[in-house]
């Protein structure tokens, strides 16, 4: 097997081309912008195969011949660009009852391995549906899930420890850096844990955003976080734990409310502010008598904490006041190696920071809206109070981090309700919540084509960065519905406007 080659098995619709229903015609083919480049990169090291498990065939919505026509045409397009697909596998079943192609049925992969002398254990599968991933894994390959196509819609069905990526190009980049996926990833986590134990800094993925972590009880190590980020010392850090027992030595008491919240929302994007014990250094809490703790849902974050054998203090891994990173590339771009180890765990599934809830007073106080919605919290523990930006000066000790603007791109940003009135402007960038009903002349980016707040949250920072990099004079963002994750999205967009405060006359 050692000399056998490795392969990448690619789903077609939603992975190589846009998924606009069931493409029955070559004219329906729409490549993603980075498809060609990603495949060119991948084929330097791996053989490429396309697996078109078309449920449309089984459901008689499209014929085997139509699928073949699309494949032939796409193959021609790729060949002209210098991309070679070794085989195009198509589900041949004409009726639902015989079709076992949906679900973990690795027949095609096993066939390919035999015909092309492949080592499946060193191979990869890329797709935008959980069954692409489970099919690959059933054959021993490593699965990478895309948030293109149907990816966002079925994300809930994907096991929590699988890697997700915004684009095919991002997934290809990860594969090339991690030829032995499992081993390379766990080695990075081990190297990270060693660095944490030595007092170093580690950038690591969580389900919300990437964190820049240090041993929470090592004052010097934590001080380096502030240094590297340029973060003011009066803004305290969240302490990340791998399980609930790890909270005991940090917090003076755990109310029944705290325990119920942990039971329900941990691991996950909820940070609890609790009375602290002396073991937590002042630098972590900015001298406050409270400590913020959270147990991330991301498996590698928890592995890192476990192997480090210490809780990890970590803010988001961006330069202070700038957009939070939701991919490893974002971290590299901003912090430029100012850490000992970067664990690349793909894109963050939630995409906005954790909800911060203070439990030190009689009534819980929401300090920052985030990945767990206020509605979900209130359903469990009843009414909570919400901090208002106007009152922050009064509450500055309770909400130390909310004084300054955060999450900001360098292009001025404006948050508006009437986005349609900007449709004729060609000199600005526009962030839309969902696919617009009217035509926009300006460069636009859509947070969630189908208007889903969770998808919008997962795309938010990525899209803010993309528009920020276009060198526009102004970005105008549409306010999203304020329920559920929408409150966190609007909060971040609003904070992004504070940095630059574009005045009315700067917009013509
Ligand atoms: O999702 C997240 O929370 C990410 C990932 C890395 O876990 N972390 C994050 O950290 O967003 P950071 O440092 O960017 O934001 C921490 C927030 C700040 O608003 C800070 O003021 C608040 O938590 N915080 C931390 N300790 C606190 C305390 N003792 N009392 C009140 N607020 C606190
Ligand atoms: Mg931050």
């Amino acid at each position: 097997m050692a000399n056998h080659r490795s392969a990448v098995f690619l789903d077609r619709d939603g992975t190589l081309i846009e998924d606009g229903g069931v493409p029955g015609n070559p004219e329906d083919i729409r490549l993603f912008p980075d498809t060609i480049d990603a495949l060119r990169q991948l084929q330097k090291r791996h053989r490429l195969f396309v697996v078109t498990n078309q449920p449309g065939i089984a459901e008689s919505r499209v014929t085997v011949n139509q699928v073949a026509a699309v494949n032939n045409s796409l193959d021609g397009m790729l060949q002209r660009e210098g991309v070679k697909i070794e085989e195009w596998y198509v589900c041949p079943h004409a009726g639902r009852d015989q079709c076992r192609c949906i679900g973990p049925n690795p027949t095609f992969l096993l066939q390919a391995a035999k015909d092309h002398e492949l080592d499946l254990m060193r191979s990869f599968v890329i797709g935008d549906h959980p069954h692409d991933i489970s099919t690959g894994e059933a054959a021993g390959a490593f699965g990478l899930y895309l948030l293109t196509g149907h990816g966002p819609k079925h994300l809930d069905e994907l096991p929590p420890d699988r890697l997700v990526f915004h684009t095919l190009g991002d997934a290809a980049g990860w594969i090339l850096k991690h030829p032995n996926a499992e081993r390379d990833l766990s080695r990075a986590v081990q190297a990270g844990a060693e660095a944490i134990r030595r007092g170093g800094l580690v950038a690591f993925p969580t389900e919300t955003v990437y964190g820049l972590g240090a041993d929470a009880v090592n004052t010097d190590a934590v001080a380096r976080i502030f240094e590297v980020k340029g973060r003011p010392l009066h803004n305290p850090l969240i302490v990340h734990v791998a399980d609930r027992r790890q909270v005991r030595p940090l917090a003076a008491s755990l109310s029944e409310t705290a325990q119920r919240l942990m039971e329900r929302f941990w691991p996950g994007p909820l940070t609890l502010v609790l009375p602290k014990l002396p073991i937590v250094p002042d630098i972590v809490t900015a001298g406050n008598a409270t400590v913020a703790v959270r147990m991330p849902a991301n498996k590698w974050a928890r592995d890192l904490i476990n192997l480090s054998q210490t809780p990890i203090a970590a803010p988001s891994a961006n330069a202070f006041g700038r957009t939070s990173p939701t991919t490893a590339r974002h971290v590299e771009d901003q912090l430029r190696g100012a850490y000992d180890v970067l664990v690349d765990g793909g894109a963050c599934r939630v995409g906005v920071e954790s909800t911060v809830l203070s439990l030190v007073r009689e009534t819980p106080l929401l300090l920052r809206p985030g990945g767990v919605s206020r509605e979900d919290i209130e359903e469990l523990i009843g009414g909570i109070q919400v901090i208002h930006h106007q009152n922050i000066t009064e509450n500055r000790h309770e909400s130390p981090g909310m004084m300054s603007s955060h999450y900001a791109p360098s292009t001025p940003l404006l948050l508006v309700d009437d986005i349609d009135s900007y449709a004729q402007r060609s000199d600005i960038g526009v962030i839309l919540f969902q696919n617009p009903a009217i035509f926009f002349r300006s460069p636009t980016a859509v947070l969630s084509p189908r208007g889903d707040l969770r998808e919008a949250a997962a795309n938010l920072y990525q899209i803010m960065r993309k528009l920020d990099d276009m060198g526009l004079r102004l970005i105008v963002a549409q306010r999203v519905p304020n329920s559920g994750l929408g409150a966190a999205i609007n909060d971040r967009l609003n904070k992004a406007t504070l940095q630059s405060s574009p005045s009315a006359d700067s917009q013509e």
Side-chain angles (χ1 to χ4, degrees):
M1 280 299 243
N3 295 325
H4 284 186
R5 297 204 36 187
S6 54
V8 178
F9 295 91
L10 299 137
D11 166 56
R12 191 187 72 187
D13 303 348
T15 297
L16 298 181
I17 61 176
E18 284 178 29
D19 193 344
V22 185
N25 249 304
E27 292 92 79
D28 299 337
I29 297 174
R30 303 272 177 279
L31 288 170
F32 288 112
D34 63 351
T35 299
I36 300 289
D37 190 53
L39 296 180
R40 280 186 185 147
Q41 298 298 325
L42 283 172
Q43 74 179 4
K44 290 182 190 165
R45 298 270 191 81
H46 307 280
R47 297 199 172 194
L48 306 182
F49 298 84
V50 176
V51 182
T52 31
N53 279 348
Q54 291 279 323
I57 297 178
E59 290 160 7
S60 308
R61 285 186 293 142
V62 67
T63 65
V64 176
N65 287 342
Q66 281 175 309
V67 174
V70 173
N71 284 350
N72 282 336
S73 170
L74 182 54
D75 194 37
M77 289 164 79
L78 295 179
Q79 277 187 39
R80 285 191 289 281
E81 300 287 347
V83 172
K84 183 180 176 207
I85 304 294
E86 309 284 340
E87 306 268 2
W88 294 76
Y89 294 109
V90 182
C91 157
H93 304 113
R96 226 208 165 164
D97 11 317
Q98 323 144 18
C99 180
R100 288 178 297 111
C101 295
I102 302 303
N105 175 10
T107 312
F108 293 139
L109 281 69
L110 300 175
Q111 187 69 46
K114 216 170 88 195
D115 296 348
H116 295 264
E117 304 201 320
L118 304 174
D119 180 355
L120 290 174
M121 304 298 283
R122 287 193 299 122
S123 297
F124 301 85
V125 170
I126 307 179
D128 68 322
H129 196 286
H131 71 63
D132 297 322
I133 307 303
S134 50
T135 302
E137 288 172 352
F142 187 88
L144 293 87
Y145 188 83
L146 296 188
L147 295 172
T148 48
H150 286 300
K153 199 161 124 204
H154 295 284
L155 186 56
D156 281 349
E157 299 155 38
L158 185 74
D161 56 346
R162 303 309 197 271
L163 299 187
V164 309
F165 296 86
H166 286 293
T167 66
L168 183 62
D170 289 353
W174 192 92
I175 288 175
L176 293 172
K177 282 191 188 153
H178 302 81
N180 297 292
E182 303 276 6
R183 200 190 67 191
D184 293 343
L185 195 49
S186 67
R187 280 192 182 165
V189 172
Q190 270 167 34
E194 279 158 31
I196 295 278
R197 286 202 297 265
R198 284 196 311 266
L201 299 190
V202 177
F204 64 98
T206 81
E207 72 280 21
T208 57
V209 300
Y210 273 72
L212 179 67
D215 180 350
V217 295
N218 179 336
T219 308
D220 292 344
V222 175
R224 274 191 64 207
I225 296 179
F226 286 91
E227 211 172 75
V228 164
K229 281 198 57 154
R231 178 174 172 123
L233 283 166
H234 61 72
N235 193 357
L237 305 180
I238 295 170
V239 176
H240 297 69
V241 296
D243 57 56
R244 287 165 62 186
R245 276 170 311 166
Q246 238 179 344
V247 177
R248 291 265 168 212
L250 307 172
S253 64
L254 278 186
S255 63
E256 204 207 305
T257 305
Q259 296 189 42
R260 286 175 62 200
L261 287 163
M262 290 174 181
E263 183 80 43
R264 168 80 172 77
F265 296 112
W266 281 16
L270 177 65
T271 296
L272 299 176
V273 176
L274 304 166
K276 86 171 188 92
L277 283 175
I279 190 177
V280 187
D282 278 343
I283 188 165
V284 172
T285 66
N288 286 287
T290 56
V291 60
V293 282
R294 109 170 174 93
M295 175 176 168
N298 185 285
K299 177 191 185 291
W300 296 280
R302 289 209 308 279
D303 285 356
L304 177 70
I305 303 165
N306 271 324
L307 287 172
S308 305
Q309 297 176 306
T310 181
I312 294 181
S316 47
N318 51 284
F320 180 70
R322 307 310 305 278
T323 311
S324 295
T326 51
T327 68
R329 161 93 54 88
H330 297 164
V331 177
E332 285 172 325
D333 287 352
Q334 279 209 359
L335 297 183
R336 302 198 178 279
Y339 39 76
D340 298 287
V341 175
L342 166 60
V343 179
D344 183 347
C348 300
R349 290 198 191 191
V350 176
V352 291
E353 292 84 349
S354 63
T355 301
V356 181
L357 186 70
S358 171
L359 298 178
V360 295
R361 298 194 303 183
E362 186 68 23
T363 311
L365 179 65
L366 186 75
L367 298 179
R368 177 176 75 181
V372 171
S373 73
R374 174 184 180 178
E375 292 90 329
D376 286 348
I377 293 172
E378 292 194 321
E379 195 184 300
L380 183 76
I381 61 167
I384 62 174
Q385 286 182 337
V386 177
I387 199 146
H388 290 289
H389 292 276
Q390 306 87 279
N391 305 337
I392 283 171
T393 3
E394 293 160 38
N395 293 317
R396 67 179 303 159
H397 291 292
E398 272 171 301
S399 57
M402 303 195 66
M403 297 288 297
S404 41
S405 89
H406 261 90
Y407 323 106
S410 45
T411 313
L413 190 141
L414 197 65
L415 180 59
V416 304
D417 292 297
D418 60 331
I419 196 73
D420 287 0
S421 64
Y422 293 84
Q424 290 307 314
R425 295 274 299 260
S426 54
D427 57 331
I428 58 171
V430 171
I431 298 180
L432 296 162
F433 172 44
Q434 52 190 321
N435 277 339
I438 60 169
F439 175 74
F440 278 76
R441 291 186 62 198
S442 42
T444 59
V446 179
L447 291 176
S448 167
R450 66 205 166 97
D452 176 83
L453 286 165
R454 293 172 66 180
E455 178 179 11
N459 287 329
L460 176 68
Y461 289 136
Q462 161 99 347
I463 281 178
M464 274 165 66
R465 263 164 214 280
K466 197 172 96 186
L467 289 183
D468 199 19
D469 289 345
M470 291 173 73
L472 301 158
R473 53 198 298 243
L474 178 70
I475 300 169
V476 181
Q478 175 181 26
R479 197 184 308 278
V480 307
N482 209 49
S483 58
L485 276 187
I489 297 170
N490 286 331
D491 174 76
R492 304 306 187 272
L493 286 170
N494 190 45
K495 281 177 176 154
T497 67
L498 297 177
Q499 178 95 341
S500 43
S501 307
S503 61
D505 43 12
S506 74
Q507 313 147 34
E508 286 180 359

